[in-house]
Amino acid sequence: FSVAVAAGRAQVRQDPSLETTEGSGINISCSHPQIQTNEWIHWYRQLPGHSPELVALTAKAAKELPDNAGQLWVSADRRSSSLWLRRPRRGDAAVYYCAL
């Protein structure tokens, strides 16, 4: 399945699309080099025909996703983050947004 990605604001950058096979882990990266001290990192996904939903957010620490689905990872300088989906299924095909 395909995973589309989109930048939530001009200050974040993501690859336009990624693909994986069902059950094969995928890492969705986001660059946010101008992040401010007080900003949190948000990851959303938007399934076809639905509104965006929050997947994970953090200030700086790595976070496990619900149901052991993967992890949100943040670099030590907070200038990049990535959402790792452990075993994505077809139902996880969506647009994934990174935002501050």
Side-chain angles (χ1 to χ4, degrees):
F1 64 87
S2 295
V3 173
V5 294
R9 289 193 353 199
Q11 290 130 321
V12 301
R13 289 189 300 274
Q14 294 179 261
D15 291 329
S17 65
L18 298 169
E19 290 188 11
T20 189
T21 56
E22 189 170 19
S24 296
I26 189 169
N27 197 52
I28 307 168
S29 299
C30 181
S31 172
H32 27 82
Q34 304 300 321
I35 190 168
Q36 301 298 309
T37 305
N38 63 338
E39 290 183 306
W40 285 60
I41 301 161
H42 300 73
W43 279 85
Y44 297 89
R45 77 173 181 177
Q46 186 171 14
L47 297 166
H50 292 82
S51 298
E53 61 181 337
L54 183 65
V55 175
L57 77 153
T58 188
K60 60 181 179 179
K63 297 282 183 176
E64 285 290 323
L65 301 183
D67 302 324
N68 201 30
Q71 186 177 51
L72 169 58
W73 174 85
V74 180
S75 65
D77 63 7
R78 296 186 354 113
R79 293 181 180 193
S80 64
S81 62
S82 60
L83 187 68
W84 177 58
L85 303 180
R86 189 179 315 273
R87 287 180 201 91
R89 299 165 302 187
R90 289 193 187 275
D92 294 317
V95 178
Y96 287 80
Y97 297 90
C98 169
L100 301 177

